[in-house]
Amino acid sequence: MRLQYPTNIKIIQLPCSGRVDILHMLKSFEDGADGVYVAGCMEGDCHFLTGNFKARRKVNYLKGVLAALGIEPERVEMFNMSSAEGPRFAQVAREFTAKIKELGPSPVKKAKAA
Amino acid sequence: MIVGDSKPLEEILEMIQGKEKVLVLGCRGCVTVCNVGGEKEVGILATMLRIARKKAGLAPTVDERTIERQCDPEYIEELAEVAEGYDAIISIACGVGPQFMSERYPKVPVYPGINTTFIGGALEHGVWSERCQSCGNCLVHNFGGLCPIARCSKSIMNGPCGGSANKKCEISPDVDCIWHLIVEKMAGMGRLKELERVWPVKNWITSRDGGPRKRVREDLKQ
Amino acid sequence: MKSGSNLEKVLAAGHFAVTGELGPPRGNNVEEVRHKAHFLKGIVDSVNITDNQTAVVRMASWAASKILIEEGLEPNYQMVCRDRNRIALQSDILGATALGIKNVLCLSGDHQRFGDHPEAKNVYDLDSIQLIAAFKKMRDDKVFLNDKELDGAPGIFIGAAANPFADPFEWRVVRMGKKITAGADFIQTQCIYNMPKFREFVKMAVDQGLTEQCALLAGITPLKSVGMAKYMAKFVPGMDVPEEHIKRLQGVDKKKQGDEGIKIAIEMIHEIRETMPGVKGVHVMAIEWEHRAKEIVEGAGLLPRPVV
């Protein structure tokens, strides 16, 4: 499969979405990312049983943090997909990129440029 | 351990408004164990603050540091070289931290980054529960090892009160009626008879009611 | 008029006010209250009824206040924050005003470690300044602390205390100002013995305009003996008894020390009245010496009391 997905996405590989940390996501925003999403396994399919549920809770927590910082909470999301679903991976990448483009550059970056 | 909660980010941002150089100071004691004031949380809070400042177009000088304990002058002393170079220090230790810091470094405003909530323990990862009210005169062995002072909403010594229902306290279905548990526990140990004793009034002098407390150990004093 | 109490009217009419003090008994001895009250009738404009003073258990202040009303005197119902939370404080002021009490004095209260039940838990849910504000809110806005409407608001003349001799000295006037901002209508001071220091305190209060916003009554307690003077100087926190008073008492025969103490009190009242226009009255605390209050007030030329 030669699936196309936006080139602006930087992928950080983790052994499990449960390994994702608030700090990983925060640092991305600090360093200028316009959006961050976590791609985890389908619910119920976690090799470590609950890793993807934990990831979702962290993402939800971070949404609250972003709101408190005056940054759109939609800039961070959690998606579930199977590793066998290449097309879904590409589709999510396109959709999320489109959504972030709609939101525009991160307010963190905008101020820096100004 | 002493358990705390992070203060809302908005409150912290308001505290440090207009302060250029900020230090977030963690503690490797209790607050590290309850995941609210250790090195990790220092990183998270400092990053949040830097993001907020970048967003506002301000110089994002928010440094990070974590010391062994903020309740010990010898570790507080480690900051002697740097402390007064900051316009604000956010201590994310229990309430002792900001006080020890501002006593030692009176020129720097020190702000509490967490709310100290109680003395308790972890029930599971991410869940803590109050166990002790530091009344200064421990009696738990009389109550099956369960403290009615800290864990009964009314600190009743001859309980349970009339508000106990389905093992829960009248204030909330989320709060156990500790007296129900005490009765069950003592019954299970065959010691129910002991609870028939009418407990006389407690001496609260050893508690906070007797005024701020201080302990001097002559055998240890230098 | 806020409460229309005698004290409020006396002050409003511009008279130099005189208040007294009565400590309820350590039991339910009603006759004792009536007996003490009778010494103060016609001598003072209103009488402070202490609330478990020095944290020693006594008859409830509201009850002794009610007995005073029956005896034809006006009480200043003292309330301390030590023993009651906001629920009880608000409830008690409603009950007290329902019984005809019109003046209240808001205090933090002596810590129970001074008293006869040092093992007690304390409350201090509110402090004295918050209590003043709570009562003002109930009276003026007709709502509880939680903003819920009252079914009948307490008309009350609100008092507070100030100690010009506690530390830090410079902060004392500021703190009194906070009480006035919170809503105090009158202030009674701690017993005054150190006149120069009190004069300085009054000057600062006058300079800050505080004596215009609130009636300041100077606390006067006659020294009964050398022993009492020494005890107060040494053991009562925030009390300033200059050496000269002790020497003056030592200079007279032991049996005459009480008379000398009363003389000193009278001289102080004269001095305050004649040289400190910021002070609107005196609060005569003849502790367990109610029967001699008349000598002091009369000696100071403050009898008869105005009828307003």
Side-chain angles (χ1 to χ4, degrees):
Chain A
M1 280 192 282
R2 285 168 184 265
L3 295 165
Q4 296 287 317
Y5 69 91
T7 52
N8 54 295
I9 291 177
K10 184 172 164 62
I11 294 180
I12 299 167
Q13 293 187 342
L14 294 169
C16 168
S17 62
R19 177 63 185 88
V20 77
D21 196 285
I22 299 290
L23 207 47
H24 295 139
M25 298 187 275
L26 270 176
K27 288 274 181 204
S28 308
F29 282 107
E30 185 188 4
D31 292 343
D34 297 312
V36 175
Y37 72 94
V38 180
C41 299
M42 298 302 287
E43 292 188 353
D45 284 350
C46 178
H47 182 68
F48 304 100
L49 306 177
T50 58
N52 45 7
F53 288 105
K54 286 176 180 155
R56 184 170 290 280
R57 286 206 297 267
K58 288 176 201 172
V59 166
N60 286 338
Y61 172 80
L62 189 64
K63 280 177 179 285
V65 172
L66 292 184
L69 289 167
I71 299 168
E72 302 88 342
E74 302 81 32
R75 289 184 186 275
V76 62
E77 286 301 346
M78 169 86 194
F79 297 103
N80 296 94
M81 61 193 73
S82 142
S83 54
E85 286 182 299
R88 164 131 169 100
F89 178 87
Q91 185 199 349
V92 164
R94 284 193 300 271
E95 282 173 12
F96 190 71
T97 303
K99 195 169 108 191
I100 297 299
K101 280 203 166 135
E102 214 171 281
L103 288 171
S106 155
V108 179
K109 218 160 49 180
K110 259 192 291 186
K112 202 178 171 188
Chain B
M1 80 190 92
I2 292 173
V3 180
D5 280 328
S6 300
K7 273 189 180 285
L9 190 53
E10 293 91 334
E11 188 182 339
I12 297 176
L13 285 169
E14 202 181 316
M15 285 173 178
I16 59 162
Q17 212 169 29
K19 311 281 181 191
E20 282 202 8
K21 275 195 81 185
V22 175
L23 174 69
V24 177
L25 184 67
C27 172
R28 286 192 223 283
C30 311
V31 291
T32 291
V33 186
C34 69
N35 306 79
V36 73
E39 196 164 349
K40 170 83 178 288
E41 292 75 27
V42 165
I44 292 172
L45 178 59
T47 308
M48 290 181 195
L49 298 179
R50 280 193 297 265
I51 291 174
R53 297 190 150 210
K54 269 192 181 177
K55 183 171 167 279
L58 301 169
T61 312
V62 180
D63 292 343
E64 304 175 15
R65 184 138 178 187
T66 305
I67 60 175
E68 199 56 35
R69 280 194 296 279
Q70 289 190 31
C71 54
D72 237 327
E74 65 172 292
Y75 299 113
I76 295 281
E77 201 56 39
E78 287 173 9
L79 297 160
E81 304 279 306
V82 295
E84 288 180 345
Y86 289 100
D87 302 312
I89 295 177
I90 302 168
S91 160
I92 54 172
C94 71
V96 179
Q99 297 188 56
F100 266 40
M101 279 298 294
S102 53
E103 280 166 36
R104 174 60 185 86
Y105 306 110
K107 286 184 195 148
V108 202
V110 182
Y111 300 91
I114 68 173
N115 293 320
T116 307
T117 41
F118 53 78
I119 302 175
L123 300 183
E124 55 180 289
H125 192 62
V127 182
W128 296 269
S129 157
E130 182 162 18
R131 284 292 181 274
C132 176
Q133 203 179 286
S134 66
C135 77
N137 184 13
C138 194
L139 298 168
V140 292
H141 55 293
N142 297 292
F143 305 104
L146 306 166
C147 177
I149 304 300
R151 300 174 69 185
C152 165
S153 301
K154 299 176 183 172
S155 294
I156 281 176
M157 295 180 72
N158 297 285
C161 75
S164 177
N166 301 319
K167 301 190 179 188
K168 297 296 172 187
C169 173
E170 66 180 25
I171 68 158
S172 159
D174 299 331
V175 177
D176 288 332
C177 170
I178 198 64
W179 263 104
H180 191 109
L181 302 181
I182 291 170
V183 170
E184 275 186 356
K185 181 106 181 273
M186 291 295 269
M189 291 189 290
R191 289 171 56 194
L192 208 51
K193 192 91 190 137
E194 289 175 41
L195 292 183
E196 287 177 22
R197 170 184 180 194
V198 174
W199 274 89
V201 295
K202 186 170 163 66
N203 177 353
W204 292 99
I205 282 185
T206 53
S207 192
R208 243 297 301 178
D209 302 273
R213 292 166 281 180
K214 185 177 175 178
R215 174 122 174 74
V216 181
R217 278 276 301 270
E218 290 300 339
D219 55 329
L220 295 175
K221 253 177 83 181
Q222 306 270 314
Chain C
M1 284 279 133
K2 285 157 175 164
S3 75
S5 73
N6 186 53
L7 178 62
E8 184 181 12
K9 286 194 271 188
V10 165
L11 286 165
H15 297 293
F16 192 77
V18 181
T19 54
E21 187 154 308
L22 188 154
R26 300 177 66 175
N28 61 0
N29 186 347
V30 179
E31 282 320 307
E32 172 72 4
V33 181
R34 296 192 202 280
H35 180 70
K36 281 181 172 179
H38 131 96
F39 290 119
L40 296 168
K41 195 166 180 180
I43 306 300
V44 295
D45 303 318
S46 65
V47 182
N48 286 35
I49 307 298
T50 55
D51 179 10
N52 297 300
Q53 77 215 52
T54 62
V56 169
V57 183
R58 290 167 182 274
M59 181 193 290
S61 176
W62 65 265
S65 294
K66 173 66 176 160
I67 297 165
L68 230 72
I69 294 172
E70 287 167 7
E71 293 300 303
L73 285 92
E74 180 173 284
N76 298 339
Y77 170 38
Q78 292 197 186
M79 291 182 86
V80 301
C81 300
R82 177 191 60 232
D83 310 322
R84 281 169 285 207
N85 67 7
R86 64 191 76 184
I87 298 172
L89 289 164
Q90 294 180 97
S91 164
D92 280 357
I93 198 68
L94 294 177
T97 47
L99 293 177
I101 292 167
K102 292 176 175 171
N103 306 314
V104 66
L105 186 79
C106 305
L107 305 163
S108 300
D110 296 315
H111 195 278
Q112 73 275 7
R113 287 196 77 159
F114 293 116
D116 63 351
H117 287 71
E119 301 183 351
K121 244 188 190 180
N122 58 40
V123 183
Y124 294 116
D125 180 17
L126 271 59
D127 64 27
S128 57
I129 293 172
Q130 293 162 339
L131 183 61
I132 294 164
F135 287 167
K136 182 183 162 66
K137 185 173 180 173
M138 290 172 81
R139 180 190 67 198
D140 297 349
D141 304 341
K142 300 180 172 44
V143 292
F144 289 104
L145 265 179
N146 64 359
D147 296 323
K148 295 267 192 293
E149 218 167 291
L150 282 159
D151 178 14
I156 198 96
F157 197 49
I158 304 170
N163 184 0
F165 309 104
D167 292 322
F169 179 65
E170 289 72 21
W171 185 249
R172 290 294 139 193
V173 176
V174 182
R175 185 159 188 267
M176 182 169 82
K178 283 178 73 164
K179 292 189 176 189
I180 295 167
T181 305
D185 301 308
F186 68 100
I187 299 265
Q188 293 170 324
T189 76
Q190 176 66 284
C191 321
I192 297 154
Y193 298 105
N194 184 339
M195 210 49 120
K197 201 164 181 182
F198 181 61
R199 184 179 299 281
E200 205 182 325
F201 177 85
V202 173
K203 188 182 178 304
M204 287 195 276
V206 170
D207 289 347
Q208 293 176 26
L210 298 177
T211 51
E212 294 301 311
Q213 302 164 38
C214 176
L216 179 62
L217 311 186
I220 300 290
T221 293
L223 294 165
K224 287 187 203 174
S225 62
V226 172
M228 173 187 174
K230 282 189 171 168
Y231 178 84
M232 287 180 105
K234 242 186 171 168
F235 298 110
V236 181
M239 195 73 76
D240 184 347
V241 185
E243 191 57 33
E244 60 187 80
H245 285 306
I246 298 170
K247 280 205 181 118
R248 188 166 153 188
L249 292 178
Q250 277 167 335
V252 300
D253 184 77
K254 204 160 189 183
K255 282 183 191 148
K256 295 274 170 89
Q257 281 174 3
D259 295 339
E260 194 66 21
I262 285 181
K263 250 194 230 167
I264 296 174
I266 292 169
E267 288 167 21
M268 287 198 294
I269 296 175
H270 275 296
E271 188 179 342
I272 289 167
R273 198 179 168 197
E274 284 148 28
T275 68
M276 300 181 202
V279 179
K280 301 296 183 339
V282 283
H283 175 49
V284 179
M285 293 166 273
I287 302 162
E288 295 304 318
W289 229 23
E290 289 82 1
H291 63 283
R292 300 201 69 174
K294 186 179 177 187
E295 283 173 61
I296 300 169
V297 181
E298 194 162 40
L302 294 168
L303 287 185
R305 297 308 308 146
V307 178
V308 286

